[in-house]
Amino acid sequence: MPAWSEVLNELQRRLAVSGPGAFDELRREYLQQMAAHTKRAAILYATKWTQPGAPPDLVSVTIEDIQGFMETTHGIGSRELDLILHSPGGDLAAAEAIVSYLRSRFDHIRVFVPHAAMSAATLISCAANELILGKHSFLGPVDPQFVLPTPLGARMVPAHALLEQFDMAQQQCADPSKMGGWVPMLAQYGPDLLVQARNAISLSENLADAWLKKHLMVTDPSKATSVARWLSDHQSMKQHRRYLSRETLVGAGMPISALEDDQILQDLVLSVFHATTHTLDGTGVVKIIENHHSRAFLKVMRPPVGSTPPPQHPPAVQPSP
């Protein structure tokens, strides 16, 4: 299996010949090899969220991603899809729209998680017919988050944490002497934020339950409900960014296939992923949605005025051969 360093060595050889175009060249070559091996359509969805430098709104699941999936499903006749997913999650409504769109285009979807798919990305995984993780792969709790502005910049805040903090404030503010410490924090709450938080928590668990029953756990609907509740239980998870291993997920009743069962496929999936991380490290790209025909929708982070721009990158969208 090509390791991260071996893919980097190959990339450096190609950069010496092809220049910055080598980033796309190598990544797309591995994605094409994967589709040739599986005889299924292949789409990569990955963002620069495990590497520093990109703000949350650029790497999260957003409704704009629908355009990326429209681009990358265009011209694909296959009704079977392999989706490589690497995402911190994001907007719950956007995740619902993405699942609705992909399920309308494909009858059978396999989701591969080469590293981690968290929050709303875990929800998307629940809508797969088959979910494939390696020993090194993780999903996360599906309790929703909100992007809130703070003096230190935008940050992701779990909906459950908002409700718990407000409940704590109500209890402590019964003592007027403690109100001064709470006023600055409570000032950030909009008039509808707590209602939105409660609704989002309910919607997240309902979607997980519905998608597990309809797709991943269709043969065991009662177990699907317990898994959905477990994934949504902020009290037992303790933190939203908890990384749930394949062993933990299987222990909770979630059906997970092992990536290691097909060594050739494992090599190809991880090679795509390693090449992707090098693209995210070496260019200004922060989000990649791309298919095995090299049709791509790339999100590029613009550098601050006066800073050194990232390496030039080929056009984001290329026609199918």
Side-chain angles (χ1 to χ4, degrees):
M1 174 178 66
W4 180 91
S5 59
E6 293 171 328
V7 174
L8 178 59
N9 290 337
E10 174 62 21
L11 175 62
Q12 290 174 333
R13 286 192 290 268
R14 296 193 184 204
L15 284 169
V17 176
S18 305
F23 285 105
D24 284 344
E25 177 185 288
L26 184 61
R27 188 183 68 251
R28 291 170 178 173
E29 185 175 300
Y30 285 131
L31 199 56
Q32 290 163 6
Q33 291 176 12
M34 176 180 168
H37 173 70
T38 63
K39 304 297 189 295
R40 297 163 61 99
I43 292 179
L44 165 70
Y45 178 101
T47 71
K48 186 178 180 176
W49 69 280
T50 53
Q51 299 135 296
D57 57 324
L58 292 185
V59 298
S60 298
V61 173
T62 70
I63 194 61
E64 183 187 39
D65 295 338
I66 288 290
Q67 290 179 276
F69 282 110
M70 289 172 63
E71 178 63 36
T72 53
T73 58
H74 179 72
I76 290 181
S78 173
R79 298 289 296 181
E80 297 182 329
L81 172 67
D82 287 340
L83 175 65
I84 300 177
L85 185 59
H86 178 63
S87 167
D91 183 68
L92 183 60
E96 183 180 17
I98 289 168
V99 167
S100 177
Y101 179 70
L102 291 179
R103 294 305 329 190
S104 73
R105 294 285 283 105
F106 299 99
D107 298 325
H108 191 277
I109 298 175
R110 296 193 300 188
V111 170
F112 293 81
V113 180
H115 184 189
M118 308 293 285
S119 191
T122 294
L123 269 180
I124 292 172
S125 301
C126 290
N129 297 96
E130 184 178 3
L131 183 53
I132 303 172
L133 276 67
K135 295 177 182 177
H136 47 270
S137 305
F138 302 91
L139 299 182
V142 300
D143 57 300
Q145 288 187 296
F146 289 86
V147 179
L148 296 181
T150 74
L152 299 178
R155 53 177 302 227
M156 304 291 287
V157 179
H160 278 283
L162 292 172
L163 298 180
E164 288 178 14
Q165 187 181 48
F166 192 76
D167 287 342
M168 187 184 302
Q170 285 184 310
Q171 294 172 19
Q172 293 196 9
C173 286
D175 180 352
S177 66
K178 296 181 179 179
M179 290 187 66
W182 280 101
V183 168
M185 284 186 285
L186 295 177
Q188 67 184 305
Y189 291 93
D192 64 341
L193 184 58
L194 298 180
V195 174
Q196 287 190 49
R198 291 190 183 93
N199 289 342
I201 291 168
S202 176
L203 177 60
S204 179
E205 182 176 338
N206 290 344
L207 289 176
D209 183 52
W211 290 341
L212 287 170
K213 287 177 178 176
K214 189 174 182 180
H215 304 294
L216 189 62
M217 301 179 68
V218 65
T219 60
D220 196 350
S222 61
K223 189 65 175 179
T225 296
S226 67
V227 169
R229 288 174 180 166
W230 174 72
L231 287 171
S232 306
D233 188 0
H234 184 73
Q235 291 294 331
S236 64
M237 293 295 180
K238 301 302 183 185
Q239 61 173 321
H240 182 76
R241 291 183 61 84
R242 187 173 180 183
Y243 293 92
L244 306 173
S245 68
R246 186 178 71 190
E247 181 181 12
T248 299
L249 295 163
V250 171
M254 203 168 184
I256 308 289
S257 299
L259 182 60
E260 298 82 7
D261 287 348
D262 184 334
Q263 286 294 310
I264 295 176
L265 184 57
Q266 176 185 225
D267 289 354
L268 292 170
V269 169
L270 293 182
S271 294
V272 171
F273 178 65
H274 294 327
T276 298
T277 61
H278 292 313
T279 300
L280 298 173
D281 271 333
T283 72
V285 175
V286 294
K287 180 181 287 186
I288 302 172
I289 309 176
E290 183 171 55
N291 72 10
H292 64 285
H293 291 313
S294 300
R295 296 190 72 98
F297 186 93
L298 307 182
K299 190 77 173 179
V300 179
M301 184 172 65
R302 298 184 183 278
V305 176
S307 64
T308 303
Q312 293 298 308
H313 203 269
V317 177
Q318 296 191 7
S320 300

